[in-house]
Amino acid sequence: MNATGAVNDPFALAREAADHIASSTGITGADIALVLGSGWKSGTDQLGEPLADLDLAELPGFSAPAVAGHGGRLLVVRTAAGRTALVFTGRTHYYEGRGVAAVVHGVRTAAALGVGTLLLTNGAGGLNPAWPPGTPVLIADHINLTGATPLTGATFIDMTTTWTPRLRELARGIDPSLDEGVYVQFPGPQYETPAEVRMARVLGGDLVGMSTALEAIAAREAGMEILGISLVTNAAAGITDAALDHAEVLAAGEAASSRLAVLLRDLVGAL
Ligand code: HPA
């Protein structure tokens, strides 16, 4: 604790949040966690039997989301296969300036509840012109351009199979049309310049966004298997002549919502 009584240790804070979730919902643990990004929030009612619906902002260590359209609830769901899933309908972004521990607090809370499988979703700019807005793309690997990490000290985590091949195969079994790509996390909050997008391409990137990679690092530290899916909400800056607009990013998510809802439902049932 510090002078204001707040917990400084992020793992102790995650434990506190996990205990709060357990005592207010009656669950003793969970198997799966989902983080729903821009465009991914409809159809949560199809994920299974709802057990609880909590306001994230009221849980220890979480705070209200900064961006309209990035809602913040924690749904607890029993899936068709009888597994317990935690569904985060909002996330803290790095650009909010609350620090990296706040960005990965949901992942660490899920880990404290015993979650072993994490599904990370986001809205992203696409570098491949063959991916129109509304295209979901599996994350095969990532590049973290934030210059930050949730790890402290000599925490040498293997990142070789961060994006679990077995889970990607499972997803392709459900939707064989899913392409794969390398997700590049920029710090944001400004969208990229066309030159930054060209740099991302030279580096091997296929998708640009402002989330996900830092969460994946924390999840690997916790030993989780991770599946990631980006929804291409727009062509990345300079890929077409169009300017980028947050409202259009949200609208692309809306337009794709029924496809994404089916994909999520089938994935969660299979995880
Ligand atoms: N860049 C960064 N983040 C994004 C984008 C983008 O083009 N689209 C949706 N989120």
Side-chain angles (χ1 to χ4, degrees):
M1 296 235 186
N2 64 19
T4 62
V7 176
N8 281 325
D9 173 2
F11 295 98
L13 190 56
R15 176 79 266 151
E16 200 186 309
D19 290 346
H20 185 106
I21 293 163
S23 62
S24 58
T25 64
I27 63 168
T28 52
D31 306 297
I32 305 168
L34 286 74
V35 180
L36 302 185
S38 303
W40 288 93
K41 275 155 223 170
S42 53
T44 50
D45 52 330
Q46 295 173 45
L47 297 176
E49 178 199 345
L51 301 181
D53 179 349
L54 306 176
D55 186 353
L56 270 183
E58 287 173 8
L59 299 177
F62 291 89
S63 42
V67 179
H70 290 189
R73 304 204 68 81
L74 172 60
L75 313 177
V76 185
V77 171
R78 175 95 59 228
T79 72
R83 310 190 81 200
T84 303
L86 306 175
V87 184
F88 294 86
T89 72
R91 54 158 54 97
T92 295
H93 288 86
Y94 182 64
Y95 56 70
E96 293 173 49
R98 296 185 183 134
V100 187
V103 171
V104 302
H105 181 55
V107 170
R108 286 181 172 156
T109 297
L113 282 163
V115 164
T117 307
L118 177 65
L119 172 54
L120 292 172
T121 65
N122 58 50
L127 274 64
N128 184 340
W131 296 336
T135 308
V137 178
L138 289 174
I139 298 177
D141 204 345
H142 76 243
I143 297 172
N144 169 17
L145 289 186
T146 65
T149 173
L151 309 180
T152 48
T155 313
F156 303 120
I157 302 296
D158 175 36
M159 298 294 289
T160 311
T161 52
T162 299
W163 302 95
T164 313
R166 180 184 73 79
L167 295 180
R168 274 150 52 205
E169 260 170 51
L170 187 104
R172 275 194 301 270
I174 288 167
D175 182 347
S177 75
L178 284 171
D179 276 344
E180 293 198 342
V182 173
Y183 179 89
V184 183
Q185 181 174 0
F186 281 82
Q190 70 284 351
Y191 291 118
E192 300 72 31
T193 64
E196 287 166 341
V197 170
R198 288 195 299 274
M199 174 188 77
R201 170 176 280 162
V202 169
L203 296 180
D206 301 293
L207 301 152
V208 290
M210 305 178 197
S211 68
T212 303
L214 294 171
E215 291 153 77
I217 296 168
R220 287 304 295 157
E221 180 186 31
M224 291 179 185
E225 290 194 321
I226 318 172
L227 178 64
I229 316 180
S230 289
L231 170 69
V232 175
T233 56
N234 56 280
I239 298 292
T240 68
D241 291 336
L244 269 64
D245 176 63
H246 181 61
E248 279 171 29
V249 167
L250 294 180
E254 272 301 304
S257 62
S258 48
R259 178 178 181 191
L260 298 185
V262 170
L263 179 59
L264 266 190
R265 182 201 64 198
D266 292 352
L267 272 173
V268 166
L271 285 175

